Amino acid sequence: MFVDVAKIFIKSGNGGNGAISFRREKYVPFGGPDGGDGGKGGDVVFLVDKNMRTLLDFKYKKKYEAERGQDGGKSNMFGKDGKDLIIKVPAGTVIRDAETNRVIADLTEDGQSVVVAKGGRGGRGNARFATPTRQAPDFAEPGMPGEEKWVTLELKLIADVGLIGFPNVGKSTILSMTTGAKPKIANYHFTTLTPNLGVVDMPGINSFVMADIPGLIEGAHEGTGLGIDFLRHIERTRLLIHVVDVSGIEGRDPIDDFNKINEELRLYSEKLASKPQIVAANKIDIMEDEENYERFKAEMEKKNLKVFKISAATNQGLRELMLYAAELLQSLPVEKEEVEEKYFPEEKRFTYEIKRDDDGAFVITGSFVDRLLQSTNIYDSESLKYFHKVLEKRGIIQQLRDMGIEEGDIVRMNDFEFEFIE
């Protein structure tokens, strides 16, 4: 099964908690603090693996979590860092933030990697809070939480040349006759339901990768049929070979077919429509009317397009077509997919909000509050001094003054309340 889009949930590891510990040695009844720091949480890393071809693995597993950092220990023992989670993907994978749709990374080369979610920092142990005036801190920091998000993985095949055209015009036959690829071929519409890749490696021709893109139909740019899924794979190519059935056996007009496909390309992407094209006039071995071909060729020449008269079934004209494509590729630059908006994972920031409750209390809420209370021992005077110092440093005390707080007013932070004293 070919799968080229997947949505998964990723979470980096939480940081380990800092330890609260004091030296307990013989003949040293009042040893100092020796609580170690927690370890850093593991990152979530995406890595390109050349052996992968699809995103099928992500169809069955949707949740990926990195290891958390270990908690700190006594005797200044630091917690072990959590292991990074390595997620392997095929070359050509674009990673997007599912909520904002912005591009996080565009992975195109084997071995390329990117950190998409950073592990949380480990919390500091109580040994870190010792000062000349605070010699026995009875508090430590909790570990920072890891990042978590839903991401969309989008696979775009990486090929030099893309074969495009209506269904059943002979694209799969061309691929099978010029490469080692073995796509399913039969005489009915929509034979190819998934893109196929092959390497053109003929004597005297510089090899290149060619993709057989499933047949497009009108409305493809709007998602009719499997249109958008297939158009995505043409974006990576440098050159298009537009295959047209000129036999006339199905009563189709090759000029009309050519124009309709190009209109779908234009409606999907102007950049896609502007890619260089070579025209392959196929099925000449069963052509009913030579005049039909001459009329088509004249129309293509008006558009300054090179036309090759071929029969994929009998191998006629294929070598000349592939030789010209290889020569043209030499002059075309290798373009890397443009990233619309470079994404940098943001540092985890803790926020708060202050509002006045109905009973007159000043209520402070937010992730900053949760973290501060986790690291505070409300039964320890030194810890409460540190707690007050953090509120001062963060500007919360001044903000409360600006809001009109008076001596004796109640300040509430989750389940913890205290009187405001200047």
Side-chain angles (χ1 to χ4, degrees), residues 83-277:
K83 289 182 181 178
D84 292 342
L85 175 63
I86 308 296
I87 301 177
K88 294 182 179 180
V89 294
T93 300
V94 176
I95 305 171
R96 295 178 183 271
D97 184 297
E99 184 177 350
T100 64
N101 203 39
R102 59 182 172 180
V103 175
I104 298 174
D106 179 19
L107 304 176
T108 58
E109 300 172 8
D110 181 42
Q112 186 180 357
S113 65
V114 62
V115 176
V116 176
K118 294 181 179 178
R121 178 171 54 82
R124 292 177 292 176
N126 69 332
R128 295 273 197 164
F129 296 96
T131 66
T133 57
R134 188 199 300 134
Q135 297 183 2
D138 194 22
F139 58 93
E141 281 183 338
M144 294 274 279
E147 296 181 284
E148 58 180 59
K149 57 173 74 93
W150 283 91
V151 295
T152 302
L153 308 180
E154 183 180 296
L155 178 60
K156 297 180 180 180
L157 293 182
I158 299 177
D160 300 302
V161 176
L163 294 168
I164 62 170
F166 269 89
N168 202 31
V169 294
K171 299 184 299 297
S172 296
T173 305
I174 292 174
L175 188 74
S176 67
M177 295 293 280
T178 57
T179 74
K182 300 298 178 186
K184 293 180 180 179
I185 301 171
N187 188 28
Y188 53 87
H189 294 298
F190 293 106
T191 301
T192 307
L193 293 179
T194 64
N196 293 295
L197 279 178
V199 178
V200 176
D201 189 12
M202 296 179 171
I205 297 178
N206 291 325
S207 63
F208 58 88
V209 179
M210 187 162 64
D212 160 26
I213 308 300
L216 300 175
I217 59 176
E218 288 180 84
H221 70 283
E222 296 175 331
T224 301
L226 297 174
I228 289 178
D229 293 338
F230 295 161
L231 284 164
R232 177 188 304 117
H233 296 293
I234 313 173
E235 290 182 298
R236 297 279 192 188
T237 60
R238 297 153 60 200
L239 174 66
L240 300 176
I241 295 180
H242 196 145
V243 185
V244 180
D245 179 359
V246 294
S247 68
I249 61 172
E250 291 191 13
R252 304 184 64 88
D253 181 358
I255 296 175
D256 186 51
D257 283 357
F258 177 87
N259 291 334
K260 283 178 178 176
I261 291 296
N262 276 282
E263 179 65 6
E264 290 302 321
L265 299 185
R266 187 188 67 77
L267 291 171
Y268 178 76
S269 163
E270 287 289 348
K271 181 180 177 182
L272 191 56
S274 65
K275 285 185 181 290
Q277 288 191 27

Side-chain angles (χ1 to χ4, degrees), residues 1-3 54 56 59-60 194:
M1 182 186 295
F2 186 88
V3 177
T54 76
L56 181 61
K59 180 178 176 67
Y60 304 104
T194 64

Side-chain angles (χ1 to χ4, degrees), residues 17 101 111 130 209 218 237 266 307 318 336-337 379 392 417:
N17 298 322
N101 203 39
V209 179
E218 288 180 84
T237 60
R266 187 188 67 77
V307 181
L318 288 183
K336 186 168 182 180
E337 182 76 7
Y379 303 106
E392 281 275 15
E417 291 185 356

Side-chain angles (χ1 to χ4, degrees), residues 6 36 312 329 370 407:
L329 284 172
D370 299 335
E407 183 121 357

Side-chain angles (χ1 to χ4, degrees), residues 376-391:
T376 301
N377 181 355
I378 61 174
Y379 303 106
D380 179 77
S381 60
E382 290 296 329
S383 182
L384 287 174
K385 287 179 184 177
Y386 173 75
F387 171 81
H388 188 271
K389 182 179 178 181
V390 172
L391 294 182

